[in-house]
Amino acid sequence: NPGAKPGLPQVGHFNPNGVGDFLAPDTWARKPILVRYRWYARANPRCEEAFSSDNGKTWETVWTTDYTRI
């Protein structure tokens, strides 16, 4: 199962528009993929996880999380 494996570095940054992209290498069915975590810095943050099997040309979003501050 690809995703946030312990010890895999995520490299990226936040852009001035408040969107941050962080990438990590992984494998799926023994083939290399990229995993992207996209964070939206706003009053209620959002995180999306997406996979790419073509080195980032296309992405498939597989998971989203919306956070609510209370």
Side-chain angles (χ1 to χ4, degrees):
N1 182 21
K5 286 192 174 78
L8 283 180
Q10 298 174 26
V11 178
H13 65 277
F14 276 91
N15 295 309
N17 64 359
V19 177
D21 284 332
F22 300 86
L23 303 176
D26 206 338
T27 57
W28 178 256
R30 291 186 246 171
K31 294 181 182 175
I33 64 168
L34 283 177
V35 180
R36 179 185 71 195
Y37 301 93
R38 177 168 280 173
W39 283 91
Y40 296 88
R42 54 190 186 195
N44 292 312
R46 179 184 185 95
C47 180
E48 299 174 350
E49 181 179 12
F51 301 154
S52 175
S53 60
D54 57 9
N55 204 33
K57 292 178 187 168
T58 60
W59 293 95
E60 178 182 357
T61 300
V62 295
W63 175 73
T64 61
T65 301
D66 291 302
Y67 296 89
T68 302
R69 295 180 183 180
I70 54 172

